[in-house]
Amino acid sequence: MPTSPASDADQTERLAHVVIAGRAEGLKFRIVGGDTRAFHGRKVEAEPLTLGAHRGVVAYDPSELVITARAGTPMAEIEALLAANGQMLAFEPPVFGAASTLGGTVAAGLSGSRRPFSGALRDYVLGAKVLDGRGEVLNFGGTVFKNVAGFDAFRLMAGALGCLGVILEASIRVTPRSRAETYLAFDLDSEAARLRVIELMRRPLPLSGAFHDGERLHLRLSGGEAAVRETARELGGETETDEIWAALRDLSHPAFDGPALWRLSLPQTAQLPRLDGHLAWDWGGSQRWLAADSVDTMIWDVAAAAGGHATLFRGGVDQVFQPLPAPLLALHRRIKTAMDPDGLFNPGRMYEGF
């Protein structure tokens, strides 16, 4: 339930004071919510700036399809509140533990299996309150989906891993839950499955997930009862439970086991050369996962040649994200300087030097 504005002001003032004092002392900060995504990105050596106490739902009216909550609010609380009102987060964000928070979810910018069918996390962020590197509180966007006033700076927070500022609060658009869901499995190899899914996605079917674990194709159907029932009857396959989709969401499925886990974001029709390791895919083929025994940075070249990019999702220490062309890297630096001129927040989390 919403908490008092006074508690919000007190927490915001506390965080601003810590940042201003730290800036004066030349400190750097590692932003910590639930700390469930510490593995994602490069390692940060800095003073912890904790947001666990900055929590609570600020506003939620189910009829408005928007929820606003503070960054430290556990995702489990948000999703339970939405479920009690027959609603959900359509972008199905990965959750890496009970301590996972809203701020960390937005900062990571990761979307789940519904991404190609419902949209990405950044499409659902309507506004954000951010503490910048000067200790100033900035308000971006709003709580109205068609709000087009000003630059969409709040969407820069999605996927920035906290490098641009401390997310204090976020407003997220929500959607009604599907009335029915069915889960199907098919014995198809990876390439045959990918081609079949491409054909299925050209039709107005109630698809909400298409995942290949390296051996079998798994489809999820979500929507009205009649549409789901008729589509399942047409497609056939073996009916299964939602267990595999839960494992896919938090990346605990065996397909992701390995010392190094690469995430490749590619055009759905992109062909890849044979790579060493176990290859699985999600997003109907647009997101490929490669579980490998060692780190081979050749994958960055492979991904770029296929029209996409790669991230060393787990198992990386130094370079993790796809190297950027010089003009794009310069743009990143300009944005970082504008939001965090002294490089206080999560230094080096994405790229060396900022």
Side-chain angles (χ1 to χ4, degrees), residues 14 33 50 106 127 141-142 156 164 174 200 264 287 303 337 349:
R14 178 187 70 83
T50 59
V106 174
L156 290 175
L164 298 181
V174 304
L200 292 177
L264 293 86
Q287 180 171 245
T337 300
R349 182 74 182 269

Side-chain angles (χ1 to χ4, degrees), residues 88-143:
M88 59 182 283
L89 298 173
F91 51 90
E92 196 176 23
V95 176
F96 301 108
S100 179
T101 63
L102 176 63
T105 297
V106 174
L110 300 173
S111 304
S113 296
R114 297 181 193 270
R115 162 69 172 86
F117 310 98
S118 301
L121 179 149
R122 69 175 63 248
D123 301 326
Y124 288 84
V125 179
L126 301 180
K129 181 186 290 186
V130 178
L131 182 66
D132 73 4
R134 302 172 182 84
E136 298 176 354
V137 177
L138 309 177
N139 288 282
F140 298 112
T143 59

Side-chain angles (χ1 to χ4, degrees), residues 137-315:
V137 177
L138 309 177
N139 288 282
F140 298 112
T143 59
V144 181
F145 180 49
K146 292 186 178 180
N147 185 343
V148 295
F151 177 63
D152 289 348
F154 55 90
R155 290 205 170 97
L156 290 175
M157 301 299 125
L161 293 181
C163 294
L164 298 181
V166 182
I167 299 173
L168 299 174
E169 186 178 293
S171 296
I172 309 292
R173 181 164 58 97
V174 304
T175 61
R177 296 180 71 86
S178 302
R179 295 181 63 88
E181 276 196 347
T182 293
Y183 316 95
L184 305 173
F186 302 83
D187 290 319
L188 290 172
D189 65 40
S190 180
E191 185 60 16
R194 190 174 64 86
L195 294 176
R196 183 174 187 188
V197 169
I198 290 173
E199 290 298 321
L200 292 177
M201 290 180 67
R202 291 172 177 161
R203 300 171 55 193
L205 300 175
L207 275 174
S208 65
F211 167 61
H212 197 280
D213 61 14
E215 297 179 1
R216 306 184 83 198
L217 171 65
H218 304 269
L219 298 181
R220 180 175 57 193
L221 308 177
S222 306
E225 295 173 355
V228 168
R229 182 176 60 251
E230 291 303 314
T231 302
R233 180 159 50 193
E234 175 194 342
L235 297 181
E238 175 187 333
T239 302
E240 57 182 3
T241 69
D242 66 347
E243 182 178 356
I244 192 169
W245 296 95
L248 175 58
R249 185 178 184 186
D250 62 14
L251 299 186
S252 63
H253 189 281
F256 306 120
D257 289 346
L261 180 63
W262 289 90
R263 173 181 177 266
L264 293 86
S265 182
L266 305 169
Q268 189 182 31
T269 56
Q271 297 280 350
L272 282 177
R274 184 172 181 82
L275 299 170
D276 292 333
H278 183 87
L279 186 66
W281 51 257
D282 194 9
W283 296 3
S286 294
Q287 180 171 245
R288 320 278 175 96
W289 293 96
L290 179 68
D293 291 331
S294 60
V295 174
D296 185 350
T297 55
M298 175 198 73
I299 293 175
W300 284 319
D301 297 328
V302 170
H309 62 271
T311 299
L312 185 51
F313 197 76
R314 276 199 310 245

Side-chain angles (χ1 to χ4, degrees), residues 39-85:
F39 67 88
H40 186 39
R42 302 171 77 244
K43 187 175 181 179
V44 176
E45 298 288 352
E47 294 293 318
L49 181 65
T50 59
L51 286 96
H54 193 65
R55 59 189 292 173
V57 174
V58 175
Y60 174 52
D61 181 349
S63 66
E64 295 294 329
L65 297 177
V66 176
I67 187 168
T68 301
R70 300 187 183 100
T73 308
M75 289 300 297
E77 290 184 14
I78 291 174
E79 295 197 314
L81 177 60
L82 295 179
N85 288 276

